[in-house]
Amino acid sequence: MKVSIITVCYNSAETIEDTIKSVLSQNYQDIEYIVIDGGSSDETLDIIDKYQDRIATIVSEPDKGIYDAMNKGIKKSTGDVVGILNSDDFYESEDVISKIVCCFDSEIDVVHGDLIFVKSDNLEKVTRFYSLPNFKPWKLRFGWMPPHPATFIKKSVYDKYGLYKVNYRISADYEAFVRFLFVNKVSYKHISKILVRMRDGGVSTSGLKSSMTLNKEIVRACCENGVYTNLFFLTLKLPFKLLELLKRPKADD
């Protein structure tokens, strides 16, 4: 099984080398690595060029935002499975791809694992553990979704049901999950392993304004797919999120 990993970036010189190294250090052999840059003006491209002989595809040009860049990468991918790793995230260990490949078969279209948030200035300091072992598609109505960087999707799902919608600012990945998992009922599986470390401070977790935009886009994503929800439904998950903040990964994870 060939796995395509896509990293999209823009002026990511401070973090992208960690991302690239975590992909290139994977012990699974059949990986196609694709980097889509939005036309960076800092040293991002210099860092990418250091590894160009091990990156299958490098594109650097203006885009219409992060989801447009992801779509470019998916269109260029030739793998059976696609994973998207953002330029400030990195894989937890060198066997992440090996672990997820073992979960795929002819019956499984999506595999999602666990993710931990870490301090941007201390990558060993865990601030949040994000795991949805009991995820069901109906929970999307209440704002729950698998962590996108720790989710791997068969290319055939994108081919059949479409790419990310570029008219979303934060939640095009959420809309895609609603479309794939809820509406079209693609098969999925959870792996109880930490797959990705994500630095705090991403656009979807940056303050009240981003939270409001996120929630409005979640409601819109459901409504556009004929799935009923509302802002009140989304508030019902807050007590569970407080419990989630108390979770910490086990040492052997």
Side-chain angles (χ1 to χ4, degrees), residues 12-121:
S12 305
E14 292 185 5
T15 60
I16 193 170
E17 192 155 25
D18 289 340
T19 307
I20 293 173
K21 286 181 176 179
S22 80
V23 175
L24 299 183
S25 67
Q26 293 298 301
N27 59 21
Y28 188 75
Q29 296 302 308
D30 201 359
I31 293 177
E32 172 188 56
Y33 192 27
I34 299 170
V35 178
I36 308 295
D37 175 73
S40 293
S41 57
D42 64 357
E43 292 76 32
T44 298
L45 286 173
D46 294 331
I47 295 170
I48 294 170
D49 285 343
K50 288 167 53 178
Y51 303 94
Q52 62 178 313
D53 60 328
R54 301 181 63 191
I55 299 175
T57 302
I58 300 172
V59 175
S60 181
E61 62 186 17
D63 53 50
K64 298 175 184 177
I66 187 170
Y67 295 112
D68 181 42
M70 289 179 185
N71 288 343
K72 287 182 183 180
I74 294 168
K75 289 176 183 177
K76 291 183 175 295
S77 67
T78 61
D80 304 290
V81 170
V82 174
I84 296 177
L85 188 68
N86 298 323
S87 61
D88 50 1
D89 307 337
F90 54 97
Y91 289 129
E92 173 70 2
S93 60
E94 65 182 17
D95 60 351
V96 163
I97 304 305
S98 296
K99 288 175 180 175
I100 67 100
V101 165
C102 292
C103 295
F104 277 100
D105 57 34
S106 60
E107 303 298 323
I108 299 296
D109 296 312
V110 175
V111 172
H112 66 97
D114 303 336
L115 177 150
I116 53 178
F117 290 84
V118 296
K119 298 285 288 183
S120 59
D121 57 353

Side-chain angles (χ1 to χ4, degrees), residues 1 21 26 47 57 64 76 127 137 178 186 192-193 204:
M1 177 174 282
K21 286 181 176 179
Q26 293 298 301
I47 295 170
T57 302
K64 298 175 184 177
K76 291 183 175 295
T127 60
V178 173
V186 304
S192 295
K193 295 290 183 182
S204 63

